Amino acid sequence: MSLSIDSSSQVLENGYEHVELLSGNNDEHEGVMVNMEKPMDSKVFLTALRASISLWRKQGKRGVWIKLPIGLANLIESAVKEGFHYHHAEPDYLMLVHWISESTTSTIPANATHRVGIGAIVMNDKRELLVVQEKSGKLKGMGIWKIPTGVVDAGEDIFKAAVREVKEETNIDTEFVEILGFRQTHKSFFEKSDLLFLCMMRPLSFDVQKQELEIEAAKWMPFEEYTAQQIVEKPGFYKCITDICLAKVDGDYIGFSPRLVKSSFTDQLSYFYLNEQDSNSS
């Protein structure tokens, strides 16, 4: 539970008499979260920040987070001069953080390290694979046919992202079946690591219409024709896709499907991916 810190508190020592402190909330890790909302002169902010840090140190606080909306960018320099550094940024705000404890080592968590993506295997009853050619990126102009891929949006479940991406790129409606596997790579988008989940999908419609913005071409391709591509025949990621696809279609490979679960500590719901068949038989 967050506890509000009174912004009208007075610090009467170290030259901060009658200074109005910054308003913040205690977090769960003995830190303080300050959400700046109202415009403030940078000099006034600097004085208030110094006084607030002095008080928070006496209270045993460890880290201080300052969330600055883009409209208060004038306060960034003052915060940085007091020891704050950038933690992460979103389109409408910048998050700054500073470890103020002088007796303990910083435990401030790093910003998110991974981006999550999906690859969608969609095969019809004619043993044709839904494939696309991209208009941009590394594969632009190479004539390579690949499965639809995309990035999971913030707050979006993996299986919903797979349905959305296939629809956006090809106009094909699909039903999520299961996750067949995933790949982890590093130093990808802005030096972040990358997780790509390979999803098996069941087509619900069949009339392909490519997305004009990102997709050069899209179609149903006989699976044997897809696997005959030089890049697919070579050992690597594309070969892994075909191998696991065959294991699913022609074998008894079982992937992971989502089960809705509730947190043990809150009422928050989430999805736990597991092998339903083997878990139910055990």
Side-chain angles (χ1 to χ4, degrees), residues 65-220:
W65 302 82
I66 299 181
K67 184 178 181 180
L68 285 179
I70 194 169
L72 299 184
N74 64 303
L75 305 182
I76 295 175
E77 183 178 2
S78 296
V80 171
K81 286 182 177 179
E82 287 305 300
F84 284 80
H85 63 267
Y86 299 168
H87 186 268
H88 66 273
E90 293 295 338
D92 58 347
Y93 76 86
L94 172 68
M95 186 67 76
L96 298 160
V97 67
H98 179 28
W99 187 259
I100 65 172
S101 174
E102 297 174 338
S103 60
T104 58
T105 303
S106 174
T107 58
I108 293 172
N111 186 24
T113 59
H114 285 68
R115 184 179 65 163
V116 177
I118 63 92
I121 294 178
V122 189
M123 187 176 291
N124 62 22
D125 293 337
K126 299 178 182 179
R127 204 178 174 85
E128 294 173 328
L129 190 66
L130 183 63
V131 293
V132 300
Q133 288 183 348
E134 296 185 341
K135 279 187 175 181
S136 60
K138 297 179 180 179
L139 301 182
K140 177 183 177 180
M142 296 182 64
I144 294 174
W145 293 97
K146 59 180 283 293
I147 62 175
T149 57
V151 177
V152 179
D153 291 336
E156 185 179 35
D157 293 305
I158 293 172
F159 68 93
K160 293 180 181 178
V163 172
R164 174 183 56 78
E165 284 290 348
V166 173
K167 180 68 174 179
E168 288 179 358
E169 293 191 1
T170 67
N171 198 43
I172 295 295
D173 296 309
T174 57
E175 178 185 11
F176 176 85
V177 179
E178 57 195 18
I179 291 175
L180 300 181
F182 68 91
R183 179 193 67 176
Q184 182 185 32
T185 56
H186 304 290
K187 293 188 177 298
S188 181
F189 189 70
F190 287 108
E191 296 299 303
K192 300 294 184 181
S193 296
D194 192 281
L195 286 171
L196 181 74
F197 289 86
L198 188 62
C199 303
M200 191 74 190
M201 316 293 291
R202 182 179 295 111
L204 301 178
S205 64
F206 303 92
D207 183 19
V208 178
Q209 298 178 31
K210 72 180 181 71
Q211 182 195 59
E212 293 297 332
L213 180 62
E214 298 178 340
I215 302 303
E216 183 67 35
K219 66 178 182 178
W220 292 103

Side-chain angles (χ1 to χ4, degrees), residues 33-52:
M33 170 65 74
V34 179
N35 288 296
M36 300 297 298
E37 297 177 351
K38 298 179 181 180
M40 181 179 292
D41 179 81
S42 59
K43 293 182 179 179
V44 175
F45 169 72
L46 180 59
T47 301
L49 180 59
R50 287 173 175 171
S52 299

